[in-house]
Amino acid sequence: MKLCNVEFYVTPSCQIMIESEEHGLKIYETEDRWFTEFMLENISNFFPEAYKALSEIYAPSKLNRSYYEYLIVHRFVRCNLSEYDNRKDIDHNGIFRLEFVKCPLRGECKACDIICNPKFNSKLSAREESVMKLYYQSISTEEIADRLFISIETVKKHKRNSLQKLGLHSLTEFISLASRNKMFENDNE
């Protein structure tokens, strides 16, 4: 699933509000598994250090999986996406637009620059690299799915994540970058 055009903000009682075109305005709750799963996938993929730190902090709640995952997402949103403004926190392409959230513990918190203001992971996974190599070789999405024994949606997800990690907007930009940098020149396949 891809979530687009989303704005978050925090209420005075520390509830996370989610405002999206698709779901309207709602309070984020433990039962919102669709949202939790989307966010966890993105946090672990794009901000692995923050994900690891959050997993350790909330480890005592791990026996209640839904609540444990909810806590991870809730904290990540509060620390990085909770300023109410006119710039969407998840844009029309599904890309996170992190914000400098005002926090009274900024500079004192051990999680500063780990959970809040986290480092973005720009390294492609082995699977993302395999998918992009096949795109570079002008293989169609459907054929990539067949060759790698994955769904077409998974191929598209790997492509979208790869472009985001590399700061690119299109496959054409990727092919140009790969060609200039001779990314696949030494591969024999």
Side-chain angles (χ1 to χ4, degrees):
M1 176 178 77
K2 184 176 169 187
L3 200 56
C4 303
N5 297 318
V6 178
E7 178 66 24
F8 301 103
Y9 63 93
V10 178
T11 68
S13 60
C14 288
Q15 292 177 306
I16 300 286
M17 299 300 294
I18 306 169
E19 184 178 11
S20 70
E21 294 170 2
E22 187 175 340
H23 299 281
L25 180 63
K26 70 172 301 342
I27 296 172
Y28 174 46
E29 300 173 301
T30 313
E31 296 78 29
D32 295 321
R33 293 299 302 162
W34 58 274
F35 179 73
T36 300
E37 289 169 8
F38 168 82
M39 291 297 290
L40 282 176
E41 180 180 344
N42 282 280
I43 295 166
S44 64
N45 192 20
F46 298 120
F47 308 99
E49 289 178 21
Y51 180 77
K52 182 178 184 244
L54 288 163
S55 297
E56 291 169 3
I57 289 169
Y58 295 113
S61 300
K62 210 170 193 173
L63 291 176
N64 182 343
R65 182 175 170 232
S66 292
Y67 184 62
Y68 165 72
E69 292 175 345
Y70 165 83
L71 290 172
I72 290 170
V73 171
H74 194 274
R75 173 83 176 267
F76 186 86
V77 170
R78 270 194 356 247
C79 291
N80 296 293
L81 300 164
S82 62
E83 294 291 320
Y84 191 66
D85 54 23
N86 60 359
R87 182 175 174 227
K88 298 294 184 192
D89 297 321
I90 301 176
D91 73 11
H92 64 282
N93 291 315
I95 296 172
F96 285 41
R97 301 293 179 199
L98 301 186
E99 302 165 327
F100 188 80
V101 175
K102 295 172 192 86
C103 176
L105 297 178
R106 178 118 11 234
E108 295 177 32
C109 178
K110 291 178 184 176
C112 193
D113 294 330
I114 298 170
I115 294 172
C116 60
N117 192 30
K119 277 194 268 176
F120 183 79
N121 174 24
S122 60
K123 185 176 182 330
L124 299 185
S125 69
R127 183 57 103 182
E128 289 165 343
E129 195 169 309
S130 297
V131 166
M132 297 311 283
K133 178 181 176 184
L134 292 171
Y135 273 121
Y136 180 77
Q137 295 170 345
S138 300
I139 308 298
S140 72
T141 302
E142 294 75 14
E143 192 173 340
I144 293 171
D146 288 344
R147 284 189 188 191
L148 299 178
F149 304 103
I150 57 179
S151 73
I152 290 171
E153 283 308 309
T154 300
V155 171
K156 290 177 181 177
K157 179 186 80 166
H158 287 313
K159 175 182 151 189
R160 182 176 61 248
N161 289 349
S162 297
L163 293 175
Q164 183 176 351
K165 285 180 177 181
L166 296 169
L168 304 173
H169 299 96
S170 69
L171 201 48
T172 304
E173 286 182 14
F174 171 76
I175 291 169
S176 176
L177 174 91
S179 180
R180 275 193 321 272
N181 293 297
K182 300 178 179 158
M183 282 177 75
F184 304 114
E185 188 173 275
N186 296 327
D187 294 346
N188 295 324
E189 293 178 31

